[in-house]
Amino acid sequence: MRNSSEITIKEALEQMFSDYRISRKVDEARVVSAWTQVAGKLIARHTEKIYVKDQALYVKADNAALKHELSYHKTDLIRKLNKAVGKEVVKEMVLL
């Protein structure tokens, strides 16, 4: 049984992220980290410069066909990435 003054490591990290105002950056890094799992290994091998800025996910595809295909799946990819992170971090996707 936990003492009332004890907290879990998860709670301590969340508090630290909040105190140092880095929660958003950590969430953005988690989205980028989840890209390969969500998009799949094949797509991940053909995408680069993946980053999040102002709730937009930026992805550079290495060919026009993939860029076109990704444009059809933006909504689904955003939904899956946010689900993987456990909160809404990305609201739009920009293909470069």
Side-chain angles (χ1 to χ4, degrees):
M1 197 172 258
R2 284 191 338 177
N3 186 335
S4 64
S5 64
E6 294 177 355
I7 61 173
T8 66
I9 291 174
K10 179 183 178 189
E11 293 167 337
L13 287 172
E14 287 173 351
Q15 183 63 47
M16 182 185 74
F17 295 156
S18 176
D19 290 349
Y20 288 101
R21 296 185 182 126
I22 59 173
S23 295
R24 190 183 88 229
K25 289 293 183 189
V26 171
D27 291 338
E28 291 171 357
R30 291 176 63 210
V31 166
V32 172
S33 175
W35 175 253
T36 299
Q37 175 191 359
V38 170
K41 290 180 182 179
L42 180 63
I43 291 173
R45 278 195 306 247
H46 293 280
T47 54
E48 58 188 15
K49 296 184 182 178
I50 301 160
Y51 62 94
V52 178
K53 183 177 179 184
D54 298 328
Q55 295 185 310
L57 174 68
Y58 291 82
V59 178
K60 182 173 192 269
D62 67 3
N63 65 68
L66 178 59
K67 184 176 178 180
H68 186 71
E69 185 67 26
L70 288 173
S71 70
Y72 286 114
H73 298 285
K74 281 183 181 183
T75 304
D76 192 42
L77 287 167
I78 290 169
R79 183 183 53 75
K80 288 179 179 180
L81 286 165
N82 285 331
K83 184 177 179 182
V85 174
K87 61 174 82 168
E88 185 179 43
V89 177
V90 176
K91 289 188 176 181
E92 68 177 298
M93 184 172 169
V94 179
L95 298 169
L96 306 170

